[in-house]
Every structure is written in structure tokens, then in C-alpha cells.
Amino acid sequence: MRRSLRVLQLQETPAASAVVALVVVFSIASAHFRTVSNINDLLLTSLFVLFVAIGMTFVLTAGGIDLSVGSVMGLGGAITGLLLEHGAGTTLALAGGLMSGVVVGLLNGLVITRLKLADFMVTLASLSIVQGIVEMMTANQPINYSGNALGNLSGATVGPVSVAVIYAVVITVIMAFILRFTSFGRAIFAVGMNPRAARLSGINVEATRVLAYVVSGFMAALAGVFLASYLSTVQALQGSGYELEAIAAAVIGGTSLLGGKGSVWGAALGALLLGTLQNGLVLASLSGYWFDVVEGAVIVAAVALGGGLQVLRTIAIPVESRRARAAG
Amino acid sequence: MKPVDKPIVEVRGVSKRFPGVPALDDVSFDIRAGEVLALVGENGAGKSTLVKILSGVYRPDSGSVVLRGKVVSLHDPHQAQALGITTVYQETTLVPGFTPVQNIFLGRELRQGPFLDEHLMKKKARSLLREFDTDESILDMPVEGIGALRQKVVEVLKGLAFEAALVILDEPTAPLTDREREALFGHIRRLKERDVAVLLVTHRLEELLEIADRAIVLRDGRYVGSVEPRETGIRQLVQMMVGRDVESVVPFDAGGADMAGGADELLRVEGLTREGVLKDIAFSVRSGEILGVAGLAGSGRTELVRVLVGADKADTGAIMKAGRKLRLKSPKDAIQNGLALAPEERKVQGVFQTFSVAKNVSAAGLRHVLKFRFFINERAESRLARDYVSRLSIRTPSVSQEMRLLSGGNQQKVLIARYLVANAEVLILDEPTQGIDVGAKSDIYGLIQEHVRAGGAAIVVSSELDDLIRLSNRVLVMREGRIAGEIEGTRGRQLKMEEHRLLDEDVLHLAAGVAE
Amino acid sequence: MMAGDSAPRSRPVTVADESRRMKARRMIVMGLANVTRPGAAPALFLVLVTLVMGVLSPNFVSISGWYFMVNESISVALIAIGTTIVLISGGIDLSIGSMIALGGALSGSLLLHGVPMVFAFALVVCVGAGVGVVNGLLIVGLRLPDFIATLAMLTAVRGVLLIWTHGDPILGYMTGSYSRIGGTTKIAPYLSVPILVCLGIAVISAVMLQKTTLGRHIHAIGGNREAAVLAGIRVSRVKIVTYVISGVLAAVSGILLAGYLTEVSPGTNASGYELIAIAAAVMGGASLYGGRGSVFGACLGAVALTVMTNLLQWWNVDPNLSDVLVGVLILLAIALQRLSIVVAERRTPSSRVARPRTARTSGGPGVARG
């Protein structure tokens, strides 16, 4: 009895149940939904949000927020594409693109922690700055991905599944591990939950926060490379709107906007949920723009419910707490 | 000016409990119009709770407040203010960018048609300022630039702009210079002339003699009595504040008084100064020693211990360990040097509420449970936690229990465990027994004694004077950022209740700056 | 004469040091207040530009040149005013970007369907107000952080807009009177309807902020929210009102913009406007921490930003650079604001006024301690 109660308390449970429910409903409603190619498509298009959401999870859990991810996606894709066009090897090009994300993240983090400026304002400003830079880079000549080494990330398959999806799973596993089982990950939770206690416990609060932004920048750049490959070209606005989706995915998965609580698997489930929703809407021949509305509503619901679930937990807990107090 | 006899505010049988701690127990007294009544008591005696009840922030569990002869139910601060009870807290509740006029009339702006009647408001404010002999030029300045004294004046005037019956001043002289304090007393006298009653919460007992007509003493949430300080003197006040009939829960530490001559000096502090907060602090602690730090609120105890662990920086001075001057840029450096602080307000500053017990225990000493330097070995972590749970007798169903579900006493033990895991030699504890039940208190004192017997040292900041004296080898008494004096603790010695009481009083005299 | 003492006036001023310190303190505070005075920055910028360009290229700064730039900046000025009001109360509204687009699309569309102009515009304004109410409720009722709530609305409104228009541009609604309203047709030498509207709204807003209870309360909430609550101010209500104003002004801005551009293309969304509005407001003296701001400063800021973008075009600079510049400007502005706060706190250490956003641990009314 105890075990099953604990599953209910997992922060990822609501997201998982929602995904399952949606998948079931859509599968019944549409035969096309159930096809392997559609599922593959679904997974593929959820990738991009997934990566950004994972990075966002790190930042949110540390108690911050990163609104610049949308433009960093463009930056990552652009730089990697440019390097490839100029003949650089795949690894170098990829490294270059990812580095650009790291640099932006580093700058964000440093400005926020050293100058003590509001995180959403700083990342909002860097969103604008990076956006401008990317637009300048892609203005005169589109950066093409078709025909280069990374151009077929989505196309290549292993069996029925895209290679990209496999990469995504691996990356998710690694990031989840980092957040959960490394001292860095533990520090992120501590800093987000109670920065004063973290400081007194010997944790370097500023460095942890900066690193969280670096992770976010890195993941955004990674997402940008994948997205550019999928679209075969780098569009300056390709990442537009992803920041909100990423926040939504993270929050759905149990990450708290206030910090101290987060889950990479939850973010993955959240991204999956959003991807399923989008997929379902497309299949229902609804304009893709419906998704924007739905998304806005979803994030509101997720945040409000997130708070609500917390309240539920504190109400449901007293039973346990009475037991704890009886024991001590 | 003799205060009118009929009381303007009566407090009848007011009680208030917080989870686990009775803050006020059946307190009754009255305040007369035009009188200055001082409210005194040690830290935690209940002064703050009483003030919050009178100002409408809290509601009493039982009892009532009578204002101008009628029972009133104070349910929010705005209503209390409207009824005539103005409270001036230690932290100002002014809008920093607003002028005094705008602040005084905040929420009750006077209007002419749809627009603000600035002229009338300014006129009223001006006449109030004039009455309080305060420069009118501040009327157009934002209050953030007018200085602490005038900010207090503005806060008082907020209440006076509308008929006030009672003005409560909570430690008003703390941020003031000597001259400003005199000026404030002048203002208080003006309030008396207006027949306004003043409730002055203060721990500066000497000030009482100057300005208070009467003083009432709270102790452990109970009303002890009322005296006229000018007649009875400070000593009696202190006796009332301190006298206790309950046995202390500090376990007797048989070998504790024996501070062997060869004991190593673990920590030495010299000339520690931090502008406005600490002045020239110097002391040392030896291995096997428990050093108590006493003092009233605002005396700088917490600031001192924060500097000791690098959480704040001192302007000048040195912290030395084994003869070497330490460069403490952050608590991390301190921990690496064996100095650790379990902060006051453990819920807000110390504990990771939604982390498990195990994660809280390992928080400062993660390196002990790491594999390959970066990966946390959760099994080792749980084992470590279980080890300490049994060593420290921490009551919890399991080490994966969420921290916030533990009782206060057990949370404190977990905090201590955290720093023991980090190999702290000098364990610094700020108010470790606050809000903890008797049994756990005793356990915690026992833990401290055990730690020093094993060769470590402990610095304990506490407002529970009685316990602190019995626990410590020596007690430093702080006042206004300095060390006012030192008292020998009674650790390991058997003394009679009477002798302990005298020591308590000595500490309080030093802490309050009362001349012998 | 040293004020604040109860010493009788016949006694000579004693502690000269203290009086000098107080004087110095006063001067420093006033100095800071003047330099960071709302409206100072953009005003200085514009004066500078006029001087420089006047020397370099007289055509740029002819009166007709100014007229065109001012006319062009009105839509930004309006949302900058709305943003200023929201910022003063300590909040932020990111939804105005899509609100402008929605406002424009709605008015064009309604006109195309033959709705009389007055009713069409009234309806659009109502929609703007409605969005503001939703924003306010999300923030006040569900306790969502303001930027999340308004960011969500930004996306949702854009979605609604795109669903409804299918991304297609809306054209053909222009009439003579709309052209006058939009500002492409002057109504007097160097005067257009938008300029009049903006002036009117600016005056009303400035009066509201400085001279009415509502304005006073908006400042109070942003300056020290706890003090406002203690003073009995209905914080929730006031906050909702600020978001309604912001939504309404965004709607009006959209209406005017649709008249100016003669077509509305929702596909290329009007995003970025919210940032520009914040930049203009902050340039005009609004503080991101709340409690301060100036309507006229915001208007000047809007003009300054328009001048800046025109200057960049004049110099053949990549138009995308202006995005970058907006971001950099915002960063600079908030860094400067933070700096002025730090400086102020260091110079006047004894006036420890409770900072609204810090956690309190003792002594204040909001603490539950025995």
C-alpha cells in the first residue's frame, strides 16, 4: 500500500498520466496516429523542446529563468552551419555551435550573479541581442544544412526509429543522471531551494547559478543544431517561442518556478505531452496556431496546478507527519 | 504631567500559542492615557507577540483587548491603525520614494473631488512636524534620504494624523545616535502632552529611567509585574526578568569544568571590526571548551558568528587557527578550516525543507559520499545518515523522510550532524534550542558536550541565559557590537539556584549596559 | 540650524560635523535624484542628437524630419506609457506585443465588415481591457509571477490572432478618416491625430499618476508593497487596473498602427514591441524594481528610440542591429538603476528603509516569531 502511495507522490506522475491518457485518446480517435511513422514524427518534433526544456529545468531548479533560449537555438544552428559550409569537420562545427551556446549562457549567468540584475530582464535583453546577431548572420545568405554531415540527423534511421531520437534518449539519460546524482546537480537543488543554507553548507552559490545558465545555453544550442538539420536550413526565428514551451514542459514535469524542485524525466514527459498535443491538433486538421493558445493555457494550468499539487501534498502529508512525530 | 487614571487600553487574559511553543500565557495589564509604559523582557519572553496582537497582526487565542472602554477585535493592521493604535516597528514601513506627506497619508489620502488635496495634506503634515519641532524642509524630500530619526518621527506622525490612542514603539532607539535619542524622547514627551499613551518596547534598561513612567515585565510569556523604574531601580527589573523556578535541562557535565592546562587553542579572534555592527572583538576558544555568547537582540551576536564562518566579511581584524591567520572568503573556506555554523532560524537559513534527512546530513560534507569525485553514492549517503541518526538519537522513521516533517528538535540535530560530517572542529551554534521542546533541548546540550569532550570546541549563541551559563565554561556578553564583559560559566560545577540567578542577573546587567 | 533637535533655539549649533554630513547627504541624494530623474536620459540623448546631426546633416533635423519621427513613434509611445504604469506598480506586461497586433487586426477586420468606426474602435478597446483583466487575474488570483502570466498571454493571444486570420494579411479597410486617424494624413501643419491622441493620453496618465489616489497607490505598491498592504490599500484591485490600462493602451496603439501602415500582417508578428516599450519606459526613468517612472519620460524615450533607429538607417547600418541595440540599452539601463540603488544605500547607511523585495527576518510586522 505504501509503495503505490509513493508513486502517486512522484512529481512526474501527473505528466506521465497525462501523456498516457492523451496517447490513448488520440490512438482511438485517429488511425493515422497509431502508425509508426507518425509516432516517429511525434518523437522527432518533440526533440527540440526536449533539449531546451532540459536546460531550462536546470536553470529553473536553481531558482532562475532563461528567456534567451529561443535565440540561442538560432545561434547554435547558425554557427555550426557556417562552420560546415566553410569546410570544417563535423566535430569541430558541432563544438563551435555548442560553444556559442555556452558563451551566451556564461554571459547571462555572470551578468545576473555579478551585477545582481533580475534574471528575466537580463535574459530577455540577451534574447533580443542574440536574435539580432543571428538575423545579421542569416540575412544575406541562408545557411543550408542539406548535403552536409549533419544534414540528415532526422532522416537517418536505425530500424523504424530516427537516429536523432536515439541521441535524444541518450542525452536525456545523461542529463537526468547529472541532475540527480552528481554534486553539481545536488548543488543546483540546494541553491534553488535555500540559497542561504546552501552558502552556509559550503556550496558556491554564484558558480552553481552560472553553470546552470551555461547548461541552458548549451542545450539550447544543441536543440538549434538539431532543428536546423530538420528544417534543412537555419531560420533566424526558428527558435522563437521555444522559451515558453520549454518552461511549460519543465513545469508540467514537476519543476517549480520558485526553484528547488525539478526533474529531467519530468521535462521529457512534458515535452512529450506538448508534442503529442501538437501532433493531435495537426491530425485533427486544426490550424497549428491553435497550439499557441493551448500552450498558453497549458502553462497557466501547469503552474497553477503545480502550486495546487503542493498544497495537496501538504494536506495529505499530515498522516505521515503524525506518524513521524509519534516516533519522535 | 500626571497620567490620567482611567486606562485607555486594557489587555485582559490574552494568550497565544504557536505550534509547540506557548508565546503568551494569560497576560493582563493596562495602559493609561498620557503614560509611557515600558515593556521589558528577555528575548523570547513574548514582547514581540504581544505587540503584534495589539497592532492587529495576530489574533489572540483567548482573552481580549479593550480600547477606550470597549472590547475591540483587532483583525488586521489597517483596522488597528484606524481604531487608534499606531505601531512603529524596528524596520520602517515607509515607501522609500515618497515624501513624509505622502507617507503620512498613505491609504487615507485627502481628496478634493477626484484629485488629491495635496495642499490640505501638506498643511496638516506641516503643523504636525512643527509640533514635533522637526524641520519642515523635509516635507518635500523622499524619506529614504532624511535619516533614521526623522523616519521614526514620520512613522509616529502617521498615527497622529488621525486620532491615536496608543503609540507602540518597538526598539525605537536602535538605529539612533545619542543626540537623536534625546530628540526622540522629546517627541515622546510631546505625545504624553497630547494624552497619547506610549508603549515602549526596549531592552535598554537605562533609557527606561529617563523616559518611562512605568515598566511591565514579561517572562516566558507570562506577566510578572509592574514597577515604577525611577522608584524601584533597575536591579529589581532585572530580577523580575530573570528569575526562574524551573530546573534547567542542561545535563550535568562532570568533567566539564576541568579545562586542562595543555588544551590547544583552536580559535583566536583579534580586533574584529565591522562598521556599524562589530567593534574590536577579541577572544579565544580552546579545545574541550564551550564558549557561550549572550546579549540582547541587536547586540551583534549573529553578526559575529557569521563573520567567523566567512558568511560576512569583517573590515579589520584577524581570525586565527593554530596561529595561522585565516582568509575566509566564504563559508566554504571556513568549513575547510573546521569552522561551521548552524544558523538561527533553522527553517529559513539552515534546513533544506524538501530534501530528505540523508541529503540534509550530507549537504556540507558531500565529498565523503562521492564516487570518482563527482557522482553521489546514495547508498553510502543513506548509510552515513543512518549512522548519525542513531548516534544523535534523531527521531525519524527513515533517512529518506522529508526534512520538514521532523520536529524542530530533530531538525536541529540533523543540522549538527551535517557539520559533524564535515569534520567541524569549532562548532558554532546560533540559538540552537529555539522553539524546541524540553527533551530535545537536553539532547542537544548533551551533543554539544560530547563534541567538546572529544576534542572539539563549541561557540553557542543563546538567549536562554539560564541554560547558557550552565552549559558554558565561559560566557561572553555582547552589547552594541562590543564585548561588554565575560562571566564564568558553571559547566561542571554544582551551584545553588540562588547563585545561578545572580549570574543571570550579572549577564543581563552587562547586556543591558547597566552600571553596577 | 540643525533640524530635528529638541534643543532650544538659543543654543549655538554644536556638532558641526553632523550638520555638514547631513547637508552632504542631502546634496548627494538630490544630485542622484536629478541625474536619474525620470525623463532626463532620453531628453539628454535627443538634445545631443539634435546638436550633432544639426552640424553634420541639417536635413535630418528639419522640423518636418522631427514631425515624421514623432509621428512614427506614437504607437511605441502609447505602449511605453502603459508599460510605465505597470512598471511603477512593480509588475511587467509582456503581452502587449501580440495585443497590438490583435488590436490592429480586429479594427481592420471590423471595418471591412462594415462596422461603424466608433463601434469598431470601442470594441477593440474593450478586448484590450479584457486581456488586461485576464492578466491581472492570473497574477493576483493564481499568484503567477507577472512575467510568466503575461508571457503566456503573449503566446495565447498571438495564437488566437493567427487562428482567426490564418496568417493572412488584412487589407482594404482604409478610408479617408482612418487615414487621418492613423496619421498618414495631417490634420494641421505638423499635427496629426495620433500625436493629439498621444498627448491627450499622456496628460491624462500623468495627471492620474501624480494627482489621484489611484496613482498614489500605484506608486506605493511598487515602492513598498508591504507598507501599502499595511496601509489598507487594495493591492489586488490596483494591480488589475494597471494591467487593464496597459491592455487598453496596447489596443489603441494597434488601432493607430493599423491606420498608419494601411495593412495588418499578423504573420510577421509584432513581437519585439514589448521589449521596445520596456526600453522606452526605462529610458524615461521607470525603475524595473517599481516605485518610479515618468509618462513624459516614456514618450521621450519612445521618440529617442525611433530617432535612433532612423539614425542607424541613415548610416546604412544593418537593421537587425537595432534589435541588438535595444537589448544592450535595456541591460545598460537596468545596470545603471542597480548602481544608483547601491550607491544610495551606501551613502545613507543610517536610513535603513525596508527594501520591498528582501526577505525580512526580524522586527517587521510580517514575521511569525514568538
Side-chain angles (χ1 to χ4, degrees):
Chain A
M1 184 56 189
R2 264 286 199 75
R3 275 271 173 88
S4 53
L5 268 181
R6 282 188 119 224
V7 168
L8 277 180
Q9 280 180 26
L10 274 181
Q11 57 191 6
E12 294 92 347
T13 311
S17 352
V19 171
V20 168
L22 264 188
V23 167
V24 165
V25 166
F26 285 171
S27 302
I28 298 177
S30 157
H32 185 65
F33 184 84
R34 301 194 290 261
T35 62
V36 172
S37 74
N38 187 53
I39 297 285
N40 203 29
D41 255 349
L42 198 169
L43 289 176
L44 209 51
T45 47
S46 307
L47 270 197
F48 319 118
V49 180
L50 170 68
F51 289 150
V52 183
I54 290 178
M56 188 69 75
T57 300
F58 274 73
V59 172
L60 284 176
T61 308
I65 186 129
D66 189 352
L67 295 175
S68 64
V69 290
S71 52
V72 175
M73 282 174 79
L75 186 66
I79 295 208
T80 300
L82 273 177
L83 286 172
L84 283 172
E85 268 183 10
H86 284 79
T90 317
T91 331
L92 188 62
L94 195 57
L98 295 177
M99 264 318 275
S100 67
V102 166
V103 167
V104 173
L106 191 63
L107 286 173
N108 275 335
L110 285 175
V111 169
I112 291 174
T113 53
R114 284 298 145 86
L115 298 184
K116 305 225 185 19
L117 301 178
D119 41 20
F120 78 92
M121 246 3 269
V122 170
T123 53
L124 200 56
S126 51
L127 171 70
S128 188
I129 295 174
V130 173
Q131 188 66 38
I133 295 177
V134 174
E135 276 175 9
M136 287 196 292
M137 288 170 77
T138 60
N140 298 325
Q141 237 181 317
I143 305 176
N144 277 317
Y145 264 66
S146 46
N148 67 30
L150 288 170
N152 217 8
L153 274 177
S154 40
T157 57
V158 172
V161 177
S162 275
V163 164
V165 173
I166 298 184
Y167 283 145
V169 171
V170 170
I171 292 172
T172 306
V173 169
I174 294 176
M175 296 310 279
F177 186 80
I178 292 179
L179 188 61
R180 184 102 159 67
F181 289 110
T182 62
S183 46
F184 170 53
R186 184 63 66 80
I188 288 198
F189 279 102
V191 165
M193 190 185 300
N194 191 338
R196 297 161 84 170
R199 194 145 182 268
L200 284 172
S201 299
I203 294 174
N204 188 336
V205 172
E206 280 86 35
T208 306
R209 285 205 181 120
V210 171
L211 277 176
Y213 282 100
V214 166
V215 169
S216 175
F218 177 87
M219 295 303 288
L222 186 64
V225 170
F226 272 79
L227 184 59
S229 160
Y230 183 73
L231 298 173
S232 298
T233 175
V234 178
Q235 295 174 351
L237 284 172
Q238 66 179 25
S240 171
Y242 269 91
E243 59 277 338
L244 195 60
E245 257 195 85
I247 295 175
V251 168
I252 291 172
T255 303
S256 164
L257 283 175
L258 297 170
K261 217 162 74 85
S263 155
V264 168
W265 287 116
L269 285 169
L272 207 56
L273 179 65
L274 290 173
T276 312
L277 263 175
Q278 191 171 28
N279 190 277
L281 288 175
V282 166
L283 286 180
S285 309
L286 280 174
S287 154
Y289 302 123
W290 269 104
F291 188 61
D292 279 342
V293 181
V294 170
E295 182 182 41
V298 162
I299 192 181
V300 167
V303 174
L305 276 180
L309 275 174
Q310 278 280 64
V311 171
L312 272 178
R313 260 139 153 253
T314 32
I315 294 178
I317 288 302
V319 174
E320 288 229 35
S321 114
R322 247 177 269 145
R323 233 176 278 161
R325 283 179 212 249
Chain B
M1 176 87 187
K2 228 171 173 243
V4 179
D5 268 350
K6 180 120 196 280
I8 193 159
V9 172
E10 293 167 72
V11 173
R12 293 188 190 154
V14 159
S15 302
K16 178 102 186 139
R17 274 188 85 85
F18 291 111
V21 188
L24 286 179
D25 190 4
D26 199 22
V27 173
S28 302
F29 65 92
D30 53 48
I31 314 174
R32 297 161 206 150
E35 114 173 291
V36 177
L37 179 66
L39 176 58
V40 269
E42 293 179 308
N43 299 342
K47 306 188 299 262
S48 165
T49 311
L50 182 57
V51 165
K52 286 186 181 150
I53 288 180
L54 283 173
S55 63
V57 176
Y58 293 157
R59 300 236 237 151
D61 296 334
S62 58
S64 58
V65 174
V66 176
L67 178 62
R68 292 192 187 101
K70 284 196 290 200
V71 175
V72 290
S73 159
L74 299 164
H75 50 76
D76 80 69
H78 184 60
Q79 178 230 16
Q81 170 108 304
L83 285 174
I85 300 179
T86 295
T87 310
V88 178
Y89 292 97
Q90 278 177 284
E91 289 200 8
T92 56
T93 54
L94 299 174
V95 179
F98 276 15
T99 63
V101 182
Q102 293 166 333
N103 268 298
I104 290 172
F105 287 96
L106 186 63
R108 303 169 299 190
E109 289 85 5
L110 302 177
R111 282 193 280 195
Q112 194 179 46
F115 300 117
L116 297 168
D117 193 344
E118 307 241 30
H119 183 73
L120 187 57
M121 290 193 284
K122 196 162 178 181
K123 200 165 124 194
K124 284 198 157 188
R126 185 182 290 127
S127 75
L128 280 172
L129 276 179
R130 236 182 243 151
E131 202 184 312
F132 279 77
D133 201 24
T134 301
D135 188 2
E136 289 162 34
S137 70
I138 66 168
L139 274 176
D140 291 313
M141 290 178 61
V143 292
E144 55 193 347
I146 62 177
L149 170 65
R150 290 165 183 183
Q151 284 173 2
K152 294 279 175 202
V153 172
V154 172
E155 297 231 43
V156 169
L157 293 182
K158 262 168 77 163
L160 292 185
F162 303 84
E163 283 314 305
L166 169 67
V167 171
I168 306 177
L169 298 168
D170 190 355
E171 307 281 5
T173 56
L176 301 180
T177 65
D178 284 343
R179 288 190 87 214
E180 290 173 333
R181 196 188 56 215
E182 288 307 313
L184 183 70
F185 286 173
H187 296 320
I188 293 179
R189 288 185 196 105
R190 282 184 197 97
L191 286 174
K192 285 180 63 163
E193 280 164 29
R194 270 172 156 249
D195 252 3
V196 175
V198 174
L199 181 65
L200 177 67
V201 181
T202 181
H203 60 257
R204 297 180 171 192
L205 304 180
E206 299 266 303
E207 285 180 358
L208 290 187
L209 292 178
E210 266 191 82
I211 192 71
D213 298 314
R214 267 196 312 145
I216 57 173
V217 180
L218 287 185
R219 187 178 73 219
D220 294 333
R222 292 204 189 88
Y223 173 79
V224 176
S226 146
V227 297
E228 285 179 38
R230 284 186 213 122
E231 286 189 18
T232 58
I234 299 280
R235 288 209 78 99
Q236 184 172 355
L237 254 184
V238 172
Q239 275 175 3
M240 290 165 79
M241 285 165 72
V242 149
R244 213 164 256 105
D245 305 314
V246 181
E247 271 295 328
S248 171
V249 294
V250 177
F252 182 68
D253 192 1
D258 182 20
M259 290 299 305
D264 300 318
E265 183 182 84
L266 276 185
L267 187 71
R268 170 180 283 273
V269 170
E270 281 174 5
L272 213 55
T273 303
R274 189 158 187 247
E275 167 130 8
V277 163
L278 294 174
K279 190 103 203 291
D280 232 355
I281 305 284
F283 65 88
S284 68
V285 192
R286 298 194 284 167
S287 137
E289 183 172 27
I290 299 180
L291 180 69
V293 179
L296 296 164
S299 54
R301 302 165 300 160
T302 298
E303 287 76 2
L304 171 61
V305 296
R306 282 180 61 87
V307 168
L308 286 180
V309 292
D312 287 328
K313 285 212 185 62
D315 299 327
T316 52
I319 300 174
M320 299 188 292
K321 191 152 182 286
R324 232 183 62 245
K325 180 169 174 178
L326 295 179
R327 294 204 60 201
L328 299 174
K329 282 179 286 162
S330 74
K332 193 169 183 178
D333 294 333
I335 292 177
Q336 275 169 351
N337 280 293
L339 297 170
L341 169 65
E344 60 171 348
E345 294 189 317
R346 73 187 82 87
K347 283 215 187 92
V348 170
Q349 298 186 43
V351 162
F352 294 109
Q353 295 282 16
T354 48
F355 271 4
S356 64
V357 169
K359 288 187 183 160
N360 268 283
V361 169
S362 64
L366 215 48
R367 66 181 189 281
H368 297 287
V369 293
L370 293 179
K371 252 194 311 210
F372 309 125
R373 278 195 84 228
F374 289 118
F375 307 115
I376 301 176
N377 182 345
E378 287 201 342
R379 261 202 220 132
E381 194 178 39
S382 301
R383 242 182 295 135
L384 181 68
R386 259 176 268 138
D387 180 26
Y388 275 89
V389 160
S390 73
R391 262 208 259 168
L392 274 58
S393 311
I394 301 175
R395 311 274 219 212
T396 173
S398 89
V399 292
S400 355
Q401 180 79 297
E402 261 186 36
M403 192 67 171
R404 66 194 164 95
L405 299 175
L406 266 62
S407 71
N410 289 308
Q411 286 188 357
Q412 188 66 38
K413 289 184 193 173
V414 170
L415 268 190
I416 294 178
R418 177 190 298 173
Y419 294 110
L420 291 178
V421 166
N423 292 330
E425 286 175 275
V426 180
L427 195 56
I428 306 173
L429 301 142
D430 196 348
E431 303 282 6
T433 55
Q434 186 178 73
I436 290 183
D437 62 276
V438 172
K441 266 193 209 180
S442 182
D443 285 347
I444 288 179
Y445 291 137
L447 285 176
I448 299 175
Q449 289 163 343
E450 224 183 275
H451 173 75
V452 308
R453 273 200 298 267
I459 300 177
V460 181
V461 173
S462 177
S463 300
E464 319 223 14
L465 268 185
D466 211 45
D467 290 347
L468 191 62
I469 294 178
R470 284 173 218 262
L471 179 69
S472 318
N473 293 94
R474 292 179 294 140
V475 177
L476 293 178
V477 184
M478 290 190 70
R479 194 180 96 240
E480 302 194 3
R482 285 171 214 259
I483 296 185
E486 187 179 302
I487 301 254
E488 199 158 318
T490 65
R491 179 181 172 213
R493 298 193 280 147
Q494 298 272 35
L495 262 72
K496 294 192 231 103
M497 286 276 266
E498 273 312 303
E499 296 170 298
H500 264 117
R501 194 169 297 186
L502 285 175
L503 282 173
D504 286 352
E505 291 177 21
D506 285 343
V507 171
L508 213 48
H509 282 136
L510 280 173
V514 178
E516 282 298 321
Chain C
M1 174 65 203
M2 258 308 296
D5 297 348
S6 51
R9 280 167 212 209
S10 55
R11 211 184 286 171
V13 176
T14 43
V15 188
D17 275 336
E18 240 182 283
S19 98
R20 236 185 285 138
R21 226 189 329 134
M22 287 290 278
K23 272 216 192 98
R25 209 188 282 162
R26 236 187 266 179
M27 272 181 23
I28 289 171
V29 171
M30 294 225 128
L32 272 175
N34 267 323
V35 164
T36 52
R37 197 207 346 236
L44 280 168
F45 175 79
L46 289 174
V47 168
L48 214 70
V49 162
T50 321
L51 286 175
V52 170
M53 293 310 283
V55 168
L56 292 180
S57 46
N59 285 329
F60 191 77
V61 283
S62 62
I63 299 192
S64 64
W66 277 117
Y67 165 73
F68 280 119
M69 284 194 286
V70 169
N71 208 24
E72 203 183 307
S73 66
I74 295 300
S75 46
V76 173
L78 284 173
I79 50 176
I81 293 175
T83 302
T84 299
I85 295 176
V86 171
L87 280 178
I88 293 179
S89 76
I92 189 147
D93 189 352
L94 295 175
S95 67
I96 49 185
S98 13
M99 195 52 232
I100 295 182
L102 182 63
L106 250 185
S107 21
S109 184
L110 287 171
L111 288 177
L112 279 177
H113 281 89
V115 177
M117 223 185 243
V118 179
F119 291 131
F121 293 165
L123 192 57
V124 173
V125 167
C126 284
V127 169
V131 168
V133 169
V134 174
N135 271 330
L137 286 177
L138 286 176
I139 291 168
V140 155
L142 290 184
R143 307 285 173 98
L144 290 179
D146 0 38
F147 72 93
I148 292 274
T150 54
L151 190 60
M153 279 308 277
L154 175 72
T155 319
V157 169
R158 184 173 63 210
V160 165
L161 180 63
L162 290 173
I163 293 171
W164 169 44
T165 63
H166 306 290
D168 301 326
I170 301 182
L171 334 137
Y173 51 81
M174 287 304 290
T175 64
S177 29
Y178 205 179
S179 161
R180 265 191 298 267
I181 291 178
T184 33
T185 318
K186 288 188 235 185
I187 55 172
Y190 302 123
L191 193 64
S192 68
V193 170
I195 293 181
L196 265 181
V197 167
C198 184
L199 268 175
I201 289 181
V203 167
I204 295 176
S205 307
V207 165
M208 183 276 282
L209 281 174
Q210 298 298 329
K211 302 264 176 228
T212 67
T213 318
L214 174 64
R216 184 61 58 84
H217 290 178
I218 291 177
H219 279 92
I221 294 173
N224 185 344
R225 196 198 162 116
E226 297 223 9
V229 171
L230 279 178
I233 294 176
R234 308 274 202 100
V235 171
S236 313
R237 249 189 233 182
V238 173
K239 285 210 92 158
I240 294 182
V241 166
T242 60
Y243 284 101
V244 167
I245 295 177
S246 176
V248 163
L249 287 177
V252 171
S253 175
I255 293 173
L256 292 178
L257 200 58
Y260 190 70
L261 297 175
T262 73
E263 74 164 35
V264 182
S265 22
T268 58
N269 54 8
S271 84
Y273 262 108
E274 58 275 353
L275 264 184
I276 297 178
I278 293 175
V282 165
M283 262 182 100
S287 167
L288 280 169
Y289 301 98
R292 280 183 1 150
S294 153
V295 163
F296 287 111
C299 293
L300 281 178
V303 173
L305 280 172
T306 312
V307 169
M308 192 181 72
T309 19
N310 279 323
L311 263 180
L312 292 176
Q313 270 179 351
W314 188 265
W315 290 331
N316 284 319
V317 174
D318 194 321
N320 293 314
L321 204 55
S322 50
D323 268 349
V324 176
L325 274 170
V326 166
V328 171
L329 262 179
I330 291 186
L331 273 181
L332 271 176
I334 55 180
L336 273 174
Q337 277 179 2
R338 169 105 205 133
L339 189 66
S340 75
I341 291 179
V342 167
V343 166
E345 272 177 4
R346 245 185 242 159
R347 295 290 174 98
T348 54
S350 72
S351 63
R352 285 211 269 118
V353 182
R355 284 264 124 225
R357 305 243 164 127
T358 54
R360 320 258 214 105
T361 54
S362 68
V367 175
R369 224 171 137 201

